[in-house]
Amino acid sequence: MATIASGALVTLEELAPSLPHFKHGISLRVTGKLQDYDVETAIAVIVDRNASLKVDTQHLNLNLRIGSIFQFIGELLLEPDQEAILKARVGRNVDGMDLNLYRQSLQLLRDFQAGR
Amino acid sequence: MDALQLVNTHVKLLAFDFLSTLKPIPHEPTSFSRKGKRLSRAETVGIIVSRDYKPNRFLKFDIDDGTGCIPCVLWLNQDTSRHFSRRCPSTVRLISQMAADFASQVQLGVIARVRGRITSFRGNLQITLSDVVIERDPNSQILHWLDCLRLARNCYDKVVVPPKP
């Protein structure tokens, strides 16, 4: 039985066209504050520092409250105009998460995985 | 000289570590080797990303901790399993009820902390669960990562140097 692909830990700033995680179909875990949500299309926009990302939440059963911090795991879809949208498989409200600690930990994890 | 004994303690490993560094030990189906140390149990914290529920048989699910996905199995067949037939029925009922409770808590998208025996099924490593706790603190995943890093550096990866005679 093939296991599900793990959502790679990235910050929204790392989802820019020239960077390694900006690939069609890649599985990612993203975190950001919910800035906007369109009930009809179920498309959410999350932001973190200066970056933002569209998230398709139609398969999720979540209370998407503007201003709360959310985390999503899903696949990145690159539209023809290079606009990215994450098709989320799961999501959760992470209000209360220490975002500075989170960002530092991501770097520590990468160092560890690279054998440093 | 006692080597650091990690057998029977639930080692906290990042999923990529669990899946890539554990090796089976020939003739010992319940033990696995990681950098020369024997392990039999593990603990992980992550998001539940898949769920395959067969009532009264098992619940299989995958936990994604951000570095990999660990397959987990929670057995739900205590009432009919030969393995439990010789044990006191009220104990078996308790165990069965606890497992059923755990199964109902394991839902897609939640963060769970699980512990259990490291097992291998068709060549794939997995955890056969003994405990599940749903983590509501949004920082629990981060703290688990930091625990894994700290324990790997200070404990699991340490090479024991025997004292000079």
Side-chain angles (χ1 to χ4, degrees), chain A residues 3 6-7 29 92 95-96 98 105, chain B residues 62 64 68 111 138-139 141-142:
Chain A
T3 332
S6 162
R29 185 194 293 207
R92 56 179 194 127
D95 278 341
D98 183 335
S105 303
Chain B
D62 289 296
D64 182 343
I111 282 241
N139 294 303
Q141 175 83 93
I142 303 173

Side-chain angles (χ1 to χ4, degrees), chain A residues 47-110:
Chain A
V47 299
D48 179 28
R49 289 185 172 171
N50 288 326
S52 68
L53 178 68
K54 288 201 297 193
V55 181
D56 178 350
T57 67
Q58 62 172 297
H59 296 296
L60 305 183
N61 187 8
L62 263 190
N63 177 11
L64 288 164
R65 212 170 46 176
I66 305 266
S68 285
I69 310 175
F70 286 89
Q71 192 169 75
F72 299 102
I73 297 183
E75 279 62 48
L76 193 68
L77 301 182
L78 299 183
E79 286 163 355
D81 58 355
Q82 285 290 73
E83 178 140 40
I85 181 164
L86 185 86
K87 203 167 159 68
R89 292 186 257 123
V90 293
R92 56 179 194 127
N93 182 320
V94 292
D95 278 341
M97 181 186 278
D98 183 335
L99 292 174
N100 280 329
L101 184 61
Y102 182 72
R103 283 188 211 104
Q104 286 180 297
S105 303
L106 251 49
Q107 193 52 55
L108 289 172
L109 281 174
R110 288 177 186 177

Side-chain angles (χ1 to χ4, degrees), chain A residues 61 89-92, chain B residues 46-53 59-63 100-112 132 134 136:
Chain A
N61 187 8
R89 292 186 257 123
V90 293
R92 56 179 194 127
Chain B
I47 298 183
I48 294 167
V49 291
S50 79
R51 188 175 189 269
D52 179 12
Y53 176 55
L59 171 67
K60 283 194 185 166
F61 57 96
D62 289 296
I63 287 202
D101 253 341
F102 288 155
S104 67
Q105 291 178 60
V106 168
Q107 300 295 338
L108 283 187
V110 304
I111 282 241
V132 179
I134 302 302
R136 305 203 191 281

Side-chain angles (χ1 to χ4, degrees), chain A residues 6-16 19-23 26-32 46 48 51 53 70-74 76 86 99 102-103 106-107 109-110, chain B residues 66-67 145:
Chain A
S6 162
L9 293 159
V10 292
T11 61
L12 296 188
E13 293 162 315
E14 291 170 326
L15 295 177
L19 298 178
H21 291 288
F22 197 76
K23 282 198 196 74
I26 190 173
S27 297
L28 298 172
R29 185 194 293 207
V30 298
T31 308
I46 55 171
D48 179 28
L53 178 68
F70 286 89
Q71 192 169 75
F72 299 102
I73 297 183
L76 193 68
L86 185 86
L99 292 174
Y102 182 72
R103 283 188 211 104
L106 251 49
Q107 193 52 55
L109 281 174
R110 288 177 186 177
Chain B
T67 70
W145 291 332

Side-chain angles (χ1 to χ4, degrees), chain B residues 54-58 75-87 89 92-93 95-97:
Chain B
K54 299 280 189 289
N56 298 319
R57 287 172 55 205
F58 58 75
W75 290 106
L76 302 172
N77 62 348
Q78 292 82 4
D79 292 336
T80 53
S81 160
R82 256 181 318 161
H83 182 74
F84 285 87
S85 59
R86 286 203 222 125
R87 295 181 70 171
V92 175
R93 251 196 310 277
I95 296 174
S96 169
Q97 201 153 4

